[in-house]
């Protein structure tokens, strides 16, 4: 690992070295100064001084002192510092890779994305790109809206796949030509499993796990009307696979998009669409002010080509008035 001593300005006149941030991250992940010192091959007193100097520099206590457990515990400011230190180090490492890349198109394309079957379009574009430039790799970060936006704004993602509606005023973007039906995921023996569709009244008192992004955007606020009752939300999720395990064990049902988990007979799960129908629409966005890397630029070219192909195929599949149904 490169341990260059590049200074990074945090605020005001404070500067800190990437080496110190890396060591701070090691202390957190090794759960103690002694274990981190062994891993870093430096003395424990030297590492302790670095952590104390870092606390003095940022003006905050990062670790709880007097903790009787063997592992160090982060303060609230310490947790924030840990998150930001990870972002700074990741961005520095990525910048160094980009600056030292060969002239041939290579390197990582970072894509932060909400879970959706529309990712097949993104995957198709990336597959085309790798056929042309085998040294390109994808780095996927699965998350929901606000965290995706944060990665875009911090330069940690080249692209973000965002569920609409989202404020896109700071980004350039391409709509993805697909709509994912939303429905209810349940066990095969659930009373609603035999329904062809799920109406708002069907969900009265049904315990449901809901995607965090759906709650943040209030996607269901106009759809669910059952007197004065609210949805019986018993959990939130970012990744549907994990939530599907809860559904299989009988914890509740999950409101989700179609096609993201196995609903074959062997799975014991059933998906039924919502009625009135609800679909999510997505767009892939990138920062206006952030020049793309050669790999990101090449990916965007392939993505535009894939989307053009899909739009053309969709247009050709629509029957003309002369070829339509007879009157």
């Amino acid at each position: 690992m490169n341990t260059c001593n590049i200074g990074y300005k945090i605020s005001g006149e404070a500067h800190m070295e990437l080496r110190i941030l890396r060591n701070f991250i090691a202390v957190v992940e090794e759960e103690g100064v002694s274990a981190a010192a062994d891993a870093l091959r430096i003395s424990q007193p030297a590492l302790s001084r670095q952590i104390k100097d870092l606390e003095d520099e940022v003006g905050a206590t990062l670790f709880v002192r007097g903790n009787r457990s063997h592992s160090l515990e982060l303060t609230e400011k310490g947790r924030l510092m840990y998150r930001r230190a990870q972002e700074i180090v990741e961005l520095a490492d990525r910048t160094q890779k980009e600056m030292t890349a060969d002239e041939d198109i290579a390197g990582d394309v970072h894509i932060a994305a909400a879970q959706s079957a529309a990712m097949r379009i993104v995957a198709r574009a990336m597959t085309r790109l790798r056929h042309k430039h085998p040294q390109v790799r994808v780095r996927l970060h699965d998350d929901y809206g606000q965290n995706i936006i944060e990665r875009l704004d911090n330069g940690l993602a080249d692209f973000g796949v965002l569920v609409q509606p989202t404020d896109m005023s700071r980004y350039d973007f391409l709509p993805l030509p697909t709509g994912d039906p939303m429905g209810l995921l349940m066990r095969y023996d659930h009373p609603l499993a035999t329904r062809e569709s799920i109406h708002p009244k069907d969900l009265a008192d049904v315990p449901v796990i809901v995607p965090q992004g759906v709650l943040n955007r209030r996607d269901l606020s106009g759809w669910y009307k059952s007197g004065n009752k609210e949805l019986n939300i018993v959990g939130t999720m970012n990744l549907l696979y994990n939530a599907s395990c809860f559904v299989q064990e009988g914890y509740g049902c999950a409101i989700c998009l179609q096609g993201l988990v196995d609903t074959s007979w062997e799975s014991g799960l059933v998906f039924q669409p919502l009625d009135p129908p609800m679909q999510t629409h997505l767009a892939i966005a990138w920062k206006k002010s952030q020049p793309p890397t050669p790999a990101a630029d090449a990916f965007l070219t392939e993505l535009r080509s894939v989307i053009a192909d899909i739009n053309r195929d969709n247009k050709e599949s629509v029957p003309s008035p002369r070829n339509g149904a007879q009157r």
Side-chain angles (χ1 to χ4, degrees), residues 111 113-124 140 142 161 176:
I111 302 174
Q115 283 197 320
S116 166
M119 285 299 290
R120 294 183 182 276
I121 298 172
V122 176
R124 193 178 308 170
L140 294 174
D142 297 324
V161 178
L176 296 177

Side-chain angles (χ1 to χ4, degrees), residues 160-168 173 175 217 219 279-285:
V161 178
L162 294 164
V163 178
Q164 301 303 299
T166 299
D167 180 8
M168 308 292 274
F173 64 93
R217 293 186 304 273
D219 290 349
Q279 284 192 329
T280 60
H281 298 278
L282 295 98
I284 187 164

Side-chain angles (χ1 to χ4, degrees), residues 5-22:
N5 295 334
I6 299 173
Y8 199 99
K9 186 173 181 179
I10 300 296
S11 62
E13 294 302 318
H15 290 73
M16 59 189 62
E17 297 177 359
L18 285 174
R19 175 176 58 87
I20 305 302
L21 293 181
R22 293 185 198 276

